Amino acid sequence: MTAQDVIRLLDMVPLGQEGGMVKETWKSKKKDHGISEGSAIYYLLTEDSFSHLHRLTGEEVYHFYMGDPVELCELMPDGSTKLTVLGTDLFKGQVPQHVVEGGVWQGSRLKEGGKWALLGTTMCPAYSEKEYEHGNREELLKKYPDAAAYIRKLTGEVKDW
């Protein structure tokens, strides 16, 4: 199976300024103040794409489904950096599920040498564009100088599918 097969079979579309490919699979019908209580997506990364550093107001739960391991970088409010490898090789410290707290900068890419990975995320409350903040490279470099290598890899122009 190739990334193009996954994109076609799951009817995925580009995820705009964040990068990668996406397909919304669920959005709660129940709403609180006009906002759905939860949503879920499929998310695909390839060797040519990455998830641009961004932050959300709510929690996001990542699920790893198939493909190559993904490096998830979190820039914490206290200035520290947290790296998590999403994947299925538990003996190598990979995890198939991970929660990113609201207000934390996050971005991801395949581990070196990977071709593609299919992930999913679940959010509560549901994703909405007004909850998304796109990371600015220069501002993030000032606040997180120790994470400069990751910031440079996870900011900039995303692949135009």
Side-chain angles (χ1 to χ4, degrees):
M1 184 174 290
T2 67
Q4 290 304 320
D5 291 331
V6 175
I7 291 166
R8 180 178 47 80
L9 292 167
L10 295 179
D11 195 29
M12 301 179 89
V13 297
L15 186 56
Q17 65 181 346
E18 183 181 332
M21 300 293 285
V22 67
K23 171 70 176 184
E24 185 176 71
T25 58
W26 169 74
K27 187 174 248 181
S28 169
K29 292 179 181 130
K30 189 173 180 184
K31 295 185 176 185
D32 182 25
H33 305 290
I35 298 170
S36 293
E37 290 185 346
S39 62
I41 62 168
Y42 286 129
Y43 184 64
L44 181 94
L45 287 172
T46 68
E47 60 191 327
D48 298 323
S49 65
F50 63 93
S51 170
H52 194 285
L53 280 165
H54 63 283
R55 67 179 166 186
L56 304 164
T57 57
E59 293 135 350
E60 184 169 24
V61 182
Y62 279 81
H63 315 272
F64 183 89
Y65 296 127
M66 64 173 62
D68 299 308
V70 172
E71 228 172 29
L72 174 65
C73 176
E74 295 172 78
L75 304 177
M76 310 306 277
D78 68 1
S80 66
T81 302
K82 180 178 181 181
L83 296 175
T84 302
V85 179
L86 299 162
T88 58
D89 194 337
L90 304 181
F91 288 112
K92 288 186 178 176
Q94 298 173 9
V95 295
Q97 190 177 87
H98 179 74
V99 178
V100 175
E101 297 294 329
V104 172
W105 290 103
Q106 59 172 301
S108 57
R109 66 187 189 103
L110 293 174
K111 281 194 64 77
E112 191 71 33
K115 298 292 182 194
W116 62 270
L118 178 64
L119 309 163
T121 71
T122 305
M123 291 189 61
C124 294
Y127 173 81
S128 76
E129 286 187 24
K130 66 182 177 183
E131 309 297 324
Y132 175 93
E133 183 180 357
H134 198 68
N136 176 285
R137 177 182 283 177
E138 298 311 315
E139 290 175 15
L140 291 170
L141 285 169
K142 285 178 191 169
K143 182 161 184 182
Y144 301 94
D146 292 342
Y150 284 99
I151 292 168
R152 286 187 183 96
K153 290 177 185 176
L154 298 172
T155 56
E157 226 175 293
V158 297
K159 179 179 178 176
D160 183 13
W161 295 87

